[in-house]
Amino acid sequence: MARITPLIMAGGAGTRLWPASRTGAPKQFIQLLGARSTFQDTCLRVADPELFGPPIVITNHDYRHLVADQLAAIGVAGEILLEPMRRDSGPAIAAGAAFLAAQEPQGLMLVLAADHVVRDEEAFRSVSRAASAAAREGAIVTFGIRPDRPETGYGYIKPGAPTVHEGVHALDAFVEKPDAARAADYVSSGYLWNSGNFLFRIDTLLDEYARFDAGSVEAARAAVAGATRDLGFTVLDADAFARTTALSIDYAVMEKTDRARVAPVSMGWSDVGSWHAVWELSEKDGTGNAAHLGERGEAVFLDARDNYVRAEDLVCLVGVSNLAVIQTRDATLVFDRSKPESVKALVRELERRGRAEVHDHTEVFRPWGSYQGVDRGERFQVKRIVVKPGGRLSLQKHFHRAEHWIVVRGTALVTVGETKTLVHENESTFIPLGAVHRLENPGKIPLELIEVQSGSYLGEDDIVRLEDVYNRT
């Protein structure tokens, strides 16, 4: 049996799980429920070499190195496509299909979101096998989740009669997110949740898409044909991709085609769309409290029930119930866990106020590693910098600040002007204002150092890059 190629959609930047999820590092790349991100779990879910081929991951320029690093951390090799701009799921799927069509035009592709959770992986593999039989004969199959409760946060699918393919039904209708009463009616009537997972034959999807929007399919094909390679990534052509119509695959194809089918499944699925959902998926104590904690975190519950805490430090809840308390290094959120929509309204208000915390974490990821703000005051700033083995910062200079570097772990190769120096643990060096310099990690373990900046202006835009191995401007 020919293998299925997974297309993993990893370019979203949702903020429904703010302040843990932010534009700079959204929920698919953070450790929400365990030691791995949901993106990593999704990749491992399709790692069975007998059923699945190597994945194609489609993301954007900002997340490319996060994707590459997280794939490497779990030992998964895959192709990474970069969208020049966000155009919703329709164009992204068309581009992924066009990319694979050049190699295997009648191959099977399975579209998965990088931020979903599936607890029953055997059920997932079983439904993938069942759907593939129908897909080979021209069906576009979506996975419909058997609901275990009325849910207003999901779209629904009305399944029709069984088809000749075991486990696959006709698809009678897609239904938008309902109110509570209608959701209860849908559940009692046998409707399914729309998971957003699709399995199809490449040529079928592209032909059907072209029936309804030939221009977008032509543009997606042109974006693939004009793609370039950059540091191991495939970069879709920007001018061509911009000609696609920004639209979800549901609206672009699934609600119009007569080839849509649904495979009902119970597989412990969640789109983890709120802190309430995280609480539901979490292990709880005898009074319904759950917590996910950082290395220094601790949650103390006293006369408290059904609460959720995510914390970097000590958080104590006394005499309260149904709360979610999300503590990060620069923001704390406390709200009624049963009202997840309130977080979206809060984020809109923070954006209106111009708060950078909506978009940026204190830990900022870069191709070479990451840095984290530790302290800041008038004319000084302190950062913790981690450089991956082999990582090299750009050759650069600053007009307004000098820098002191103290190595905490590993060995740094420091260039200042024409001089190169190895700086070891418990040693330091000084970068004068205006000096051309570079930091590298020549070792085999992460390099950790403390940087103390001093000067009249400390913004990140006071960097003049003279040379950069990551092709940044």
Side-chain angles (χ1 to χ4, degrees), residues 355-378:
R355 298 293 309 204
E357 292 89 347
V358 171
H359 305 289
D360 300 320
H361 287 274
T362 55
E363 183 176 15
V364 178
F365 294 95
R366 291 289 185 259
W368 45 261
S370 64
Y371 69 83
Q372 179 181 315
V374 176
D375 194 11
R376 182 166 187 156
E378 187 176 357

Side-chain angles (χ1 to χ4, degrees), residues 5-197:
T5 298
L7 176 69
I8 300 175
M9 312 281 283
T15 53
R16 290 183 294 173
L17 293 179
W18 187 88
S21 173
R22 308 187 193 184
T23 307
K27 70 171 184 173
Q28 62 265 32
F29 301 120
I30 62 179
Q31 296 171 346
L32 274 179
L33 295 164
R36 296 186 297 264
S37 68
T38 56
F39 167 67
Q40 290 174 311
D41 283 339
T42 301
C43 293
L44 291 174
R45 195 179 309 134
V46 291
D48 181 350
E50 292 187 4
L51 184 57
F52 301 106
I56 298 171
V57 181
I58 187 159
T59 187
N60 61 61
H61 187 271
D62 292 339
Y63 304 149
R64 66 198 190 283
H65 292 288
L66 270 174
V67 167
D69 288 348
Q70 292 204 357
L71 286 176
I74 57 174
V76 171
E79 184 71 40
I80 301 173
L81 303 185
L82 301 184
E83 296 176 287
M85 70 284 293
R86 291 187 178 96
R87 305 295 283 169
D88 215 324
S89 62
I93 291 170
F99 179 82
L100 187 61
Q103 311 160 39
E104 196 177 358
Q106 293 188 326
L108 297 183
M109 176 172 278
L110 172 61
V111 176
L112 300 171
D115 56 355
H116 291 184
V117 166
V118 170
R119 291 294 176 87
D120 188 342
E121 296 193 359
E122 182 52 44
F124 167 78
R125 287 189 287 270
S126 293
V127 76
S128 296
R129 293 187 186 97
S132 66
R136 284 191 185 89
E137 295 189 14
I140 303 175
V141 186
T142 185
F143 295 178
I145 307 300
R146 295 188 181 97
D148 55 12
R149 65 189 185 279
E151 174 61 60
T152 60
Y154 297 147
Y156 284 73
I157 292 169
K158 182 181 180 182
T163 68
V164 296
H165 300 286
E166 184 177 356
V168 178
H169 290 244
L171 195 158
D172 284 355
F174 284 93
V175 182
E176 297 295 330
K177 296 176 182 178
D179 58 25
R182 196 176 297 272
D185 288 342
Y186 289 159
V187 172
S188 64
S189 300
Y191 283 53
L192 307 167
W193 289 336
N194 182 4
S195 71
N197 300 165

Side-chain angles (χ1 to χ4, degrees), residues 211-365:
R211 281 180 58 204
F212 311 116
D213 185 355
S216 286
V217 172
E218 182 280 328
R221 289 185 184 275
V224 170
T228 56
R229 295 287 288 177
D230 179 31
L231 301 174
F233 304 103
T234 297
V235 185
L236 299 175
D237 181 77
D239 290 339
F241 197 68
R243 296 200 304 269
T244 61
T245 300
L247 202 61
S248 75
I249 194 67
D250 280 348
Y251 291 135
V253 178
M254 296 303 292
E255 295 187 6
K256 300 173 182 176
T257 181
D258 58 3
R259 293 180 175 270
R261 304 290 184 270
V262 60
V265 61
S266 298
M267 57 182 184
W269 172 89
S270 172
D271 73 348
V272 204
S274 67
W275 287 116
H276 177 75
V278 175
W279 173 80
E280 288 182 317
L281 292 164
S282 301
E283 183 177 343
K284 304 171 186 67
D285 65 17
T287 53
N289 296 304
H292 289 104
L293 306 169
E295 291 181 4
R296 299 175 302 159
E298 184 175 0
V300 177
F301 301 100
L302 185 62
D303 189 27
R305 303 183 64 86
D306 299 328
N307 299 291
Y308 176 78
V309 169
R310 183 182 179 92
E312 301 289 341
D313 296 295
L314 174 64
V315 171
C316 304
L317 272 64
V318 181
V320 296
S321 60
N322 299 311
L323 291 183
V325 179
I326 317 300
Q327 178 208 62
T328 65
R329 290 183 175 91
D330 62 343
T332 300
L333 170 66
V334 182
F335 73 105
D336 183 337
R337 180 177 52 74
S338 66
K339 299 179 180 178
E341 69 281 354
S342 61
V343 177
K344 200 168 184 178
L346 172 67
V347 170
R348 286 196 299 266
E349 174 61 17
L350 293 174
E351 287 180 323
R352 188 188 68 80
R353 297 186 182 200
R355 298 293 309 204
E357 292 89 347
V358 171
H359 305 289
D360 300 320
H361 287 274
T362 55
E363 183 176 15
V364 178
F365 294 95

Side-chain angles (χ1 to χ4, degrees), residues 377-395:
E378 187 176 357
R379 295 184 64 85
F380 81 91
Q381 181 171 217
V382 181
K383 293 181 178 179
R384 174 178 174 266
I385 295 176
V386 179
V387 185
K388 298 180 294 189
R392 306 177 74 199
L393 280 68
S394 60
L395 186 67

